[in-house]
Amino acid sequence: MPLHVPPAPPAALRTVLAALGTPAAVRDPRTPSLRGAQGPLNPELPLPVHVLDRITADGTPVVRLAGWRFLIRSGDHAVAAAETLETAEGWAFSHFFEGPYVMSTERALRQAEEAGQPYQPRLLSVPGLYMLTLWLHADPEADAAAGLPDALDLLIPLAPAPPGIASHRPHRVEELLPLLTRRVGPAGPPPVLRPAA
């Protein structure tokens, strides 16, 4: 069943296109994969990146939108990703990156497409565990920039996952959240780490 990929804010997409079109204008240089890519580079599959700052004492996740991530395709596969973030002036390009999370995201999206239910794909970063999951939200028409993980949602940990959590094994939120609660711990100040790449 096809995924319902939410549309990214147009300004976020424009910042990625500008960074791809004018590499000298961005602070971080292109990654080796982007420099070596043959043919056009296309930003695709925009995914909102939500950060799990903490889990309250009653088990409620405290989640916030941190930005949008685009997979950068060259030919038939992603070679890198681009991250954007919202600033006081609007959406801004943050950085390009490559590595295991890019390939793992593609793999998890293929897994999700084989599910028997339509989902809205998002990313959920758990900085306290250096963990990133593909968050499959059960309401495909929901506002992609808002909301909390719901009991009907699935989380697919991306590789590399923390010890004791299997990569690419889908979990219901109600199954994985208690484990994250024990590891992240309730309340406390949010970690001051940037989302996993």
Side-chain angles (χ1 to χ4, degrees):
M1 189 155 293
L3 295 174
H4 293 253
V5 178
L13 176 58
R14 282 194 299 272
T15 67
V16 173
L17 291 170
L20 285 170
T22 315
V26 297
R27 183 180 38 135
D28 290 334
R30 286 187 173 192
T31 67
S33 292
L34 288 174
R35 285 193 302 269
Q38 301 295 316
L41 296 167
N42 300 305
E44 297 180 357
L45 292 168
L47 298 171
V49 180
H50 294 263
V51 175
L52 177 67
D53 281 324
R54 67 183 195 276
I55 300 171
T56 65
D58 67 355
T60 304
V62 177
V63 176
R64 64 181 166 83
L65 179 69
W68 283 78
R69 182 173 294 178
F70 298 78
L71 293 181
I72 307 298
R73 243 177 233 297
S74 175
D76 62 352
H77 66 282
V79 295
E83 191 119 344
T84 63
L85 53 89
E86 194 168 19
T87 68
E89 291 80 35
W91 287 96
F93 174 78
S94 175
H95 62 284
F96 291 116
F97 66 92
E98 57 184 72
Y101 282 130
V102 174
M103 291 182 297
S104 188
T105 300
E106 271 199 312
R107 179 180 168 190
L109 286 166
R110 284 193 301 271
Q111 281 181 267
E113 286 173 347
E114 296 168 3
Q117 177 180 342
Y119 287 106
Q120 180 191 84
R122 305 172 174 193
L123 293 171
L124 181 65
S125 174
V126 187
L129 298 178
Y130 299 98
M131 179 181 181
L132 187 65
T133 71
L134 179 65
W135 170 12
L136 299 174
H137 194 50
D139 180 0
E141 304 304 321
D143 177 0
L148 295 173
D150 183 81
L152 297 176
D153 296 354
L154 290 178
L155 298 174
I156 301 177
L158 301 183
I165 297 175
S167 300
H168 295 284
R169 180 179 172 266
H171 298 268
R172 289 267 174 222
V173 166
E174 60 196 13
E175 173 190 352
L176 190 57
L177 197 58
L179 175 61
L180 298 181
T181 302
R182 287 192 298 276
R183 291 197 181 188
V184 173
V192 193
L193 296 174
R194 88 192 250 187

